[in-house]
Amino acid sequence: MFDLTDDQKALQQAAKALSDGHVRDRAADVDSSEDYPWDTVEKLTEAGFMGMTIPTEFGGRGLSYFDAVLVIEQMARNCGVTARIVVEANMGGVGAIMGYGSDAQKKLAASYVLAGDKPAICITEPGAGSAATEMATTAVKTDGGYVLNGQKHWITGGGVSKLHLVFARVIDDGKDLGIGGFIALRDDTEGLKIGAREYAMGLRGIPETEILFEDMFVPDEHVIQLPQGFKRGFAALMSAYNGQRVGAATVAHGIAQGAFERAVEFAKDREQFGRPIAEFQGLQWMIADMEIGLSAAQALIYKAAKSGGTGYPDKNAAAQAKVFAAENAVTVTNTALQIFGARGYGRSLPMERMVRDARMFTIGGGTAQMLRNQVASAVLDMKLPQTRNGYRG
Ligand SMILES: CC(C)(COP(=O)(O)OP(=O)(O)OC[C@H]1O[C@@H](n2cnc3c(N)ncnc32)[C@H](O)[C@@H]1OP(=O)(O)O)[C@@H](O)C(=O)NCCC(=O)NCCSC(=O)CCS(=O)O
Ligand SMILES: Cc1cc2nc3c(=O)[nH]c(=O)nc-3n(C[C@H](O)[C@H](O)[C@H](O)COP(=O)(O)OP(=O)(O)OC[C@H]3O[C@@H](n4cnc5c(N)ncnc54)[C@H](O)[C@@H]3O)c2cc1C
């Protein structure tokens, strides 16, 4: 069903080689130091994994989201942080700019990402998490551009990313026109301030920070022109974001796959009661359940990655893949740790890190509950507004 072309097999092999070498060697240190892995980013850039989905006319490789998924899956087997960098360097913010941006915006974004920048996507606010459409950051129209004020938090890559895609509520002449996407460059935009870092349970090598906009001016040429304008701006931007949801699902799945491979190897090697623990049926069924979950997650992810053809993935397929892969990754990483016994709980092996890293994906990128709302809405063919008074008018 998901046969790979020769080029895709070569891409997957190249990703596997980098992952099983440098990425694997660095993963524990990236976790314990909590430092962004600039050396790994250099290797990802050299290998052509940063900006591989950027069209060839802008200097990228013109690869598909499915191709990117093959690379992300391999990176995540050894390091969730590295895999997340590949996601944001090919999907999310850069994906939105490549889909909707002007040629000048695409050229600008490509120049950053192909040089190793992992863009940041700025949606979530303290008062608007799952209810992202309730965001309070405003972009007020002024001569030649917009002035942004507001606060985002939990922004992946705050302080390391240069290119930012900021979602904000557009106000013109006192009227709320909807939500738009604004390009801001950290080294070139006054009023973009990096706030406090939030130290997290897992995926510790990428900072999560607040980002503040204090009278930040964004010129008209850095505003994304969305197909149906600001009125349906949020829907258009979220369509692009479906790509990153598939990417996040892939990171969760890849981490689980890596934990599974290690557990299988250990079960064949470790002996108790005079025989390998793999001979105990209790463990055999755990291994079988892990394999079934991983196969199902991979199938949903591959289906979602291909669902949009050359466009963005379908929102329902992306939501299904993310819910299942994220929850399965929590189960599989925990089961894999269990197979290692005390060794799995210790910090000298990667199992406890994999459990911590996998935990994020039922939250970030849309919680499992919000994505279930979305799947239910598609199945029932009903709008399911979550506010007490239904539609907000
Ligand atoms: C969409 C929600 C914020 C719910 O808000 P509302 O109830 O106010 O909005 P809706 O009426 O459901 O949607 C408005 C409009 O947008 C369209 N829409 C919504 N989601 C999508 C989508 N995924 N793809 C395409 N279009 C979408 C929707 O159809 C409506 O248009 P129409 O009126 O039908 O024409 C909420 O459900 C939600 O998604 N919350 C989660 C917020 C989220 O995902 N945040 C992610 C932040 S970035 C991040 O976490 C990075 C981490 S990582 O990637 O590792
Ligand atoms: C590691 C990490 C990285 C992130 N990176 C980014 C980033 O780069 N950019 C960005 O913009 N955001 C980012 N986020 C933020 C993320 O998108 C939000 O955390 C997420 O959307 C949930 O919002 P919240 O945390 O405010 O939870 P809340 O929305 O407050 O939800 C709290 C709980 O209530 C549940 N809930 C809320 N509403 C409903 C409902 N209607 N039905 C059922 N259950 C509901 C939720 O599922 C959850 O369990 C990141 C988060 C994490 C953890």
Side-chain angles (χ1 to χ4, degrees), residues 84 88 120-126 128-131 152-157 200 202-203 208 241 244 360 362-370 373 386:
R84 288 193 78 214
E88 291 217 286
I121 189 158
C122 307
I123 305 174
T124 308
E125 301 181 359
S130 296
K152 303 286 177 182
H153 75 167
W154 282 96
I155 304 305
T156 300
L203 300 162
E208 303 295 338
Y241 185 70
Q244 183 144 325
M360 179 282 226
T362 65
I363 303 169
T367 67
Q369 292 71 38
M370 291 314 293
N373 290 340
Q386 301 294 306

Side-chain angles (χ1 to χ4, degrees), residues 84 121 123-124 129-130 132-133 232 234-235 238-239 241-242 244-245 248 315 360 364-366 370 374 383 392:
R84 288 193 78 214
I121 189 158
I123 305 174
T124 308
S130 296
T133 48
R232 288 196 36 80
F234 181 77
M238 288 306 280
S239 286
Y241 185 70
N242 292 327
Q244 183 144 325
R245 279 195 177 147
K315 75 173 174 185
M360 179 282 226
M370 291 314 293
Q374 226 177 65
K383 290 240 176 210
R392 282 192 205 96

Side-chain angles (χ1 to χ4, degrees), residues 192-381:
L192 192 162
K193 305 237 163 86
I194 306 302
R197 179 170 179 174
E198 187 70 53
Y199 289 90
M201 173 181 180
L203 300 162
R204 295 182 178 179
I206 305 189
E208 303 295 338
T209 76
E210 295 174 331
I211 298 196
L212 310 160
F213 312 110
E214 295 174 357
D215 288 333
M216 181 179 83
F217 178 72
V218 175
D220 285 329
E221 59 268 26
H222 285 184
V223 181
I224 309 229
Q225 294 304 314
L226 299 161
Q228 291 173 277
F230 296 129
K231 194 164 189 298
R232 288 196 36 80
F234 181 77
L237 291 165
M238 288 306 280
S239 286
Y241 185 70
N242 292 327
Q244 183 144 325
R245 279 195 177 147
V246 176
T250 311
V251 182
H253 169 66
I255 294 169
Q257 177 65 34
F260 171 73
E261 288 167 14
R262 286 163 173 85
V264 170
E265 206 181 303
F266 181 80
K268 288 186 186 162
D269 191 49
R270 169 75 175 159
E271 292 192 5
Q272 285 294 277
F273 301 97
R275 53 189 184 140
I277 58 172
E279 289 185 8
F280 300 122
Q281 193 177 52
L283 294 199
Q284 290 163 5
W285 287 2
M286 284 154 79
I287 286 167
D289 283 345
M290 287 196 277
E291 168 70 2
I292 293 164
L294 288 165
S295 300
Q298 191 191 51
L300 283 171
I301 289 167
Y302 282 12
K303 181 181 163 198
K306 285 176 170 257
S307 63
T310 54
Y312 299 124
D314 171 72
K315 75 173 174 185
N316 185 24
Q320 289 186 35
K322 176 141 178 309
V323 170
F324 190 84
E327 291 181 349
N328 185 58
V330 172
T331 306
V332 169
T333 51
N334 271 289
T335 309
L337 183 150
Q338 184 70 21
I339 288 177
F340 274 84
R343 289 169 179 78
Y345 192 68
R347 284 200 233 160
S348 51
L349 289 183
M351 309 315 291
E352 61 84 31
R353 165 170 54 84
M354 291 174 138
V355 168
R356 283 187 285 109
D357 286 356
R359 187 62 188 84
M360 179 282 226
F361 297 92
T362 65
I363 303 169
T367 67
Q369 292 71 38
M370 291 314 293
L371 298 184
R372 280 192 168 84
N373 290 340
Q374 226 177 65
V375 174
S377 168
V379 173
L380 299 168
D381 192 20

Side-chain angles (χ1 to χ4, degrees), residues 62-279:
L63 298 182
S64 66
Y65 281 131
F66 180 68
D67 295 328
V69 156
L70 297 176
V71 175
I72 296 160
E73 196 178 9
Q74 290 305 319
M75 295 304 159
R77 286 175 45 250
N78 290 303
C79 176
V81 165
T82 302
R84 288 193 78 214
I85 292 170
V86 179
V87 170
E88 291 217 286
N90 289 287
M91 298 159 160
V94 68
I97 296 170
M98 292 304 145
Y100 301 126
S102 64
D103 279 0
Q105 290 171 349
K106 290 180 191 175
K107 217 169 132 192
L108 177 76
S111 72
Y112 277 89
V113 177
L114 295 170
D117 187 47
K118 173 213 82 65
I121 189 158
C122 307
I123 305 174
T124 308
E125 301 181 359
S130 296
T133 48
E134 290 176 0
M135 67 181 63
T137 296
T138 52
V140 178
K141 183 70 185 124
T142 184
D143 275 356
Y146 291 81
V147 176
L148 272 70
N149 278 288
Q151 181 190 0
K152 303 286 177 182
H153 75 167
W154 282 96
I155 304 305
T156 300
V160 300
S161 298
K162 290 181 182 159
L163 182 69
H164 295 69
L165 177 66
V166 183
F167 286 38
R169 186 170 295 292
V170 182
I171 311 289
D172 193 351
D173 215 8
K175 287 196 203 89
D176 182 342
L177 301 186
I179 288 170
F182 298 80
I183 298 172
L185 305 167
R186 182 166 54 88
D187 48 4
D188 193 30
T189 311
E190 264 184 56
L192 192 162
K193 305 237 163 86
I194 306 302
R197 179 170 179 174
E198 187 70 53
Y199 289 90
M201 173 181 180
L203 300 162
R204 295 182 178 179
I206 305 189
E208 303 295 338
T209 76
E210 295 174 331
I211 298 196
L212 310 160
F213 312 110
E214 295 174 357
D215 288 333
M216 181 179 83
F217 178 72
V218 175
D220 285 329
E221 59 268 26
H222 285 184
V223 181
I224 309 229
Q225 294 304 314
L226 299 161
Q228 291 173 277
F230 296 129
K231 194 164 189 298
R232 288 196 36 80
F234 181 77
L237 291 165
M238 288 306 280
S239 286
Y241 185 70
N242 292 327
Q244 183 144 325
R245 279 195 177 147
V246 176
T250 311
V251 182
H253 169 66
I255 294 169
Q257 177 65 34
F260 171 73
E261 288 167 14
R262 286 163 173 85
V264 170
E265 206 181 303
F266 181 80
K268 288 186 186 162
D269 191 49
R270 169 75 175 159
E271 292 192 5
Q272 285 294 277
F273 301 97
R275 53 189 184 140
I277 58 172
E279 289 185 8

